[in-house]
Amino acid sequence: MVLEEKKLETLQRILDESTYTVALCGSGVVTECGQRTLKSPEMAYDVEEKYGVSPEEIFTTVYYHNRTAQFFEFYREEILRNPASVTETAETLRKMEKTGKLQCIIDSNIYQQMKCGGCEKVIPLHGSIYDNTCPHCGKTYSMEYIRDSEKIPRCTNCGTVIRPGVKLFGEMMNSTIMSEASRQIEQAEVLLLLGTAMNSEVYSKYIRHFEGNYLVIIHEEPHFLDDKADLVILGQPRQILSQLKF
């Protein structure tokens, strides 16, 4: 308990003294509210049982184009029916933004919890379930429009199948977004890894750009690369961050 209190005090000091802090939000920020991620073993098993294919196969552009009805059945039921909710993580990051203690959030989660929680400077690496567009005429559609569609959601203007605003497995990353994420990390004095680890499939290539003062990890399970960080606190980000004062 004393050790954890000292770590919290250290984290508070690091953030208070920083003039440029960037937070990376990983899958642990999704799971802390009870939601499952597509790559979790439980989710993979349930999807294969229900749809006969793995999440890595169904959540792709190939499936979207060639088996459109099945893709949207999966997308509505498994992604949109119960989106990840906003937790204390987003609330604390919003407070940090407003007090000038957080300059950027880089988010890999399609549920956009940080944006929904009131954060403003968010880079959505993998897009958002809330941004959907007709690829033909450009008309935009809400998440609810796709969620509540009975079959394949089509544009009310031209009848084209609507494209969900999320990055599907195997798609190329947006180079502009990648460059901005790298630039933000290069500027950071403090880099917060929330619900993710140093060897993250998503973030490892970005973390290499960090040359600041403190790399801080907050996640539930210890990882063999934790010793590369300046400060590691084990626990859900929502539990740790909510104890800070801004």
Side-chain angles (χ1 to χ4, degrees), residues 7 24 40 43 55 64-65 74 88-89 93 100 125 139-140 143 156 164 170 176 203 205 223 235 237:
K7 285 188 173 184
L24 309 184
S40 69
M43 182 75 158
Y64 166 77
H65 287 298
F74 162 82
E88 294 90 337
T89 298
L93 295 185
L125 288 182
K139 184 174 180 179
T140 59
M143 179 274 285
T156 57
T176 301
Y203 286 126
K205 58 182 173 291
H223 189 273

Side-chain angles (χ1 to χ4, degrees), residues 107-126:
D107 196 352
S108 66
N109 303 315
I110 61 175
Y111 297 107
Q112 288 290 279
Q113 293 159 287
M114 302 306 118
K115 276 280 191 183
C116 293
C119 299
E120 296 180 1
K121 180 60 175 178
V122 182
I123 298 175
L125 288 182
H126 293 165

Side-chain angles (χ1 to χ4, degrees), residues 29-99:
V29 177
V30 173
T31 58
E32 69 179 6
C33 70
Q35 180 63 280
R36 300 185 300 179
T37 61
L38 283 175
K39 292 189 176 181
S40 69
E42 299 84 2
M43 182 75 158
Y45 176 82
D46 288 348
V47 168
E48 290 210 37
E49 282 283 297
K50 188 173 181 179
Y51 301 95
V53 292
S54 68
E56 285 83 358
E57 182 178 350
I58 198 169
F59 199 62
T60 61
T61 52
V62 172
Y63 221 89
Y64 166 77
H65 287 298
N66 297 332
R67 303 193 67 183
T68 308
Q70 293 90 334
F71 171 87
F72 277 107
E73 178 189 0
F74 162 82
Y75 189 65
R76 281 192 299 266
E77 295 301 320
E78 310 304 329
I79 306 295
L80 302 185
R81 290 296 179 205
N82 185 33
S85 59
V86 173
T87 69
E88 294 90 337
T89 298
E91 294 171 8
T92 301
L93 295 185
R94 177 180 57 80
K95 292 177 183 176
M96 290 176 63
E97 268 194 347
K98 290 192 176 298
T99 56

